Amino acid sequence: MKKILIANRGEIALRIIQTCKEMDIQTIAVYSEADKDLPFVKAADEAVHIGEPPVAKSYLQSDVILEVALKHKVDAIHPGYGLLSENDEFAKKIEKAGIAFIGPSPQTIEWMGDKIMARKTMQQAGVPIVPGTIEPIEDVEEGVKLAEQIGYPVMLKASSGGGGIGMVKCDNREDLHKHFVSSQQRAKNYFGSGRMFIEKCIENARHIEVQIMGDTHGNIVHLFERDCSVQRRNQKVVEESPSPFLTESLRSKITESAVKAAEAVNYVNAGTVEFVVSENGDFYFLEMNTRLQVEHPVTESITGLDLVRWQIQVARGEKLPLTQEEIMSNGHAIEFRLYAEDPITFFPSPGKIEKLIWPSSENVRIDYGYESGNAVTPFYDPMIAKIIVSDSNRENCIKNAVEFFDALEIDGLKTNTPLFQMILKEEDFVKGDYTTSYLSKKKVSKP
């Protein structure tokens, strides 16, 4: 495998390029007009312009991207996360063209991309699932009937959903009537499907995910968990490992269930099994993400491993480099997603970065997508960078993170830095006593 096309943008494209350079693999970047000056375009061995700024006219143009891959005679395509990464039709096209897809099989992507199918599969495999519907809900009256059987509050979700889109909490019948049609329509607009389902809302819960990796030789391992409970709009903003909430016994049960879930679909390459964990320690399967996760550097920090390197090795047909017994977790790591957004409303705040100076720290890793002078445009997710702080223990991580964000210099647009400064000094977070409702109960002072 000597040449890889990266079908993505921003910080994840740059991060993949870095590993490829270390492996002496040439890289082809594709970019939209809006991204022509970003670091990943400059870092690739070759870069090809593929369209106008909107994703539908650039990064979601699967046929155009495949055409570039064939023209440049690449050996493989890495989809990163988001965009086309969980598009089974894209994966099928790539494989049909004789190019390796650095990810799981198209069939696995299809199965797990359908949340209803995923729930059925996990239930059959003996992995606990959140109480709720197994078949899609056709209309609101059917939804109301099922919700009353399950008991409010419930979560109304899109079967093909992701990133919190098409998901809404309903506390009663009136909420369900209010949100059903609009959520269904939003799901149709984003995912092309209006299939909905209902799950019991597990309140005061933790969102725990387990990193898994499988190869084509039947080996599947986990690389421990990440606690992703600090969220806004059902989207993660702070992730850490080990989880300050889990006991060793519960950690073992959850990671074993994640491996069982991966085995149920003969999982190959990198993926994540997500669970919701109740206050009393009951845990349930939420979904399987058939790709590399935004927060994968947390796992890399505690294991000392390069997951992108592992992905490439698996795509080349190699066995996993380590067995389960050889994979160790050391120290602690916390990732902060730095967004161009209002820290109070969480609304995107695009604009030009007039100044960006990263504080120097040996315990901080920065996976960035922008530099001073670049513009964060309204066309894409407004994440500027991921800040990953690691140390021997959680207390030191928090101390290092406080120093980092207090010294960070970024001008020209709003960012969520004040949010992190608040969280890092807030008593419940410092104690590790937080749930998925944490941010909805905390107030950020105006900067």
Side-chain angles (χ1 to χ4, degrees):
M1 196 172 285
K2 293 295 183 184
K3 188 182 289 188
I4 292 175
L5 183 145
I6 301 157
N8 217 294
R9 61 176 299 278
E11 63 83 19
I12 187 59
L14 185 59
R15 188 262 169 275
I16 295 166
I17 289 169
Q18 290 166 345
T19 289
C20 288
K21 286 183 182 295
E22 293 171 6
M23 298 178 74
D24 197 28
I25 296 173
Q26 286 188 303
T27 53
I28 307 292
V30 292
Y31 66 94
S32 74
E33 183 64 28
D35 286 346
K36 63 182 179 181
D37 296 321
L38 293 193
F40 81 94
V41 177
K42 300 172 185 176
D45 292 300
E46 297 180 72
V48 180
H49 176 261
I50 56 166
E52 298 174 42
V55 288
K57 296 183 178 181
S58 52
Y59 298 108
L60 294 184
Q61 296 264 40
S62 59
D63 289 337
V64 173
I65 292 171
L66 183 56
E67 186 179 319
V68 173
L70 291 170
K71 181 179 178 180
H72 288 265
K73 296 182 171 59
V74 305
D75 302 301
I77 293 179
H78 197 307
Y81 55 73
L83 300 175
L84 293 169
S85 64
E86 293 180 283
N87 186 310
D88 60 289
E89 291 300 324
F90 180 55
K92 288 174 187 175
K93 287 179 183 179
I94 291 170
E95 291 192 352
K96 188 175 181 181
I99 298 171
F101 178 75
I102 302 178
S105 70
Q107 185 179 47
T108 299
I109 295 173
E110 182 179 10
W111 282 352
M112 295 299 101
D114 184 327
K115 303 300 186 291
I116 295 174
M117 174 65 75
R119 281 170 58 80
K120 287 181 181 179
T121 302
M122 294 306 131
Q123 186 180 56
Q124 292 168 1
V127 178
I129 64 171
V130 179
T133 56
I134 295 298
E135 299 297 334
I137 298 168
E138 300 300 332
D139 57 53
V140 68
E141 292 305 326
E142 183 183 358
V144 167
K145 182 178 179 181
L146 291 166
E148 289 176 349
Q149 291 175 6
I150 297 167
Y152 291 101
V154 298
M155 294 299 292
L156 176 64
K157 295 184 176 183
S159 180
S160 300
I165 297 168
M167 180 193 305
V168 63
K169 178 186 174 186
C170 299
D171 290 313
N172 47 50
R173 175 197 293 254
E174 290 71 28
D175 280 354
L176 197 51
H177 269 283
K178 177 182 176 182
H179 295 297
F180 190 91
V181 174
S182 59
S183 295
Q184 187 176 52
Q185 188 58 51
R186 194 166 185 232
K188 286 179 181 177
N189 293 342
Y190 275 87
F191 310 114
S193 171
R195 282 160 42 101
M196 308 296 290
F197 69 103
I198 286 175
E199 287 180 343
K200 177 69 178 174
C201 178
I202 310 297
E203 298 192 282
N204 298 316
R206 289 274 186 158
H207 187 147
I208 304 292
E209 63 184 26
V210 178
Q211 179 69 56
I212 55 168
M213 184 76 75
D215 63 27
T216 54
H217 304 273
N219 301 303
I220 295 175
V221 298
H222 74 78
L223 294 96
F224 306 100
E225 89 286 354
R226 298 184 289 254
D227 195 318
C228 305
S229 303
V230 180
Q231 304 177 1
R232 86 280 192 265
R233 301 195 308 272
N234 296 313
Q235 293 182 310
K236 305 161 192 171
V237 68
V238 177
E239 303 99 347
E240 65 179 304
S241 186
S243 167
F245 172 77
L246 298 184
T247 62
E248 282 304 318
S249 174
L250 186 53
R251 177 174 290 108
S252 294
K253 290 177 182 177
I254 289 176
T255 53
E256 286 170 8
S257 289
V259 172
K260 184 187 290 187
E263 290 173 343
V265 293
N266 299 314
Y267 201 89
V268 172
N269 217 281
T272 308
V273 185
E274 307 210 2
F275 297 93
V276 59
V277 185
S278 71
E279 290 179 290
N280 62 6
D282 292 329
F283 65 93
Y284 308 95
F285 170 85
L286 268 183
E287 63 182 2
M288 181 182 288
N289 292 301
T290 52
R291 53 172 166 78
L292 195 66
Q293 285 279 71
V294 177
E295 57 273 19
H296 76 275
V298 172
T299 297
E300 294 183 325
S301 296
I302 62 166
T303 62
L305 304 173
D306 183 334
L307 297 190
V308 173
R309 179 183 288 267
W310 276 39
Q311 283 191 290
I312 294 171
Q313 290 171 324
V314 167
R316 293 195 303 207
E318 299 173 22
K319 289 185 177 180
L320 294 177
L322 298 175
T323 64
Q324 187 67 72
E325 293 69 30
E326 294 171 321
I327 301 170
M328 300 295 172
S329 173
N330 295 295
H332 200 94
I334 309 177
E335 176 179 290
F336 303 85
R337 301 189 190 188
L338 181 65
Y339 283 99
E341 68 179 19
D342 187 297
I344 299 173
T345 65
F346 304 136
F347 290 155
S349 179
K352 184 179 179 180
I353 302 173
E354 300 293 349
K355 180 172 74 171
L356 176 53
I357 300 176
W358 301 114
S360 177
S361 175
E362 62 181 29
N363 294 315
V364 177
R365 164 179 165 178
I366 303 169
D367 284 16
Y368 64 92
Y370 297 84
E371 296 174 326
S372 292
N374 291 153
V376 179
T377 67
F379 303 105
Y380 318 112
D381 182 271
M383 187 167 68
I384 297 169
K386 301 180 308 198
I387 316 302
I388 307 94
V389 184
S390 57
D391 212 310
S392 59
N393 57 59
R394 188 172 187 267
E395 183 181 1
N396 286 349
C397 278
I398 291 174
K399 177 177 177 291
N400 295 336
V402 168
E403 293 174 354
F404 180 90
F405 285 108
D406 283 349
L408 175 62
E409 295 183 60
I410 181 165
D411 295 330
L413 38 61
K414 293 180 181 178
T415 74
N416 58 348
T417 297
L419 174 67
F420 299 138
Q421 291 172 319
M422 181 277 290
I423 290 173
L424 288 163
K425 297 171 185 175
E426 197 279 321
E427 184 179 1
D428 288 339
F429 181 81
V430 172
K431 291 191 300 184
D433 183 16
Y434 60 87
T435 69
T436 51
S437 62
Y438 174 77
L439 280 187
S440 66
K441 299 175 181 178
K442 304 299 176 183
K443 298 297 183 184
V444 183
S445 299
K446 288 191 176 183

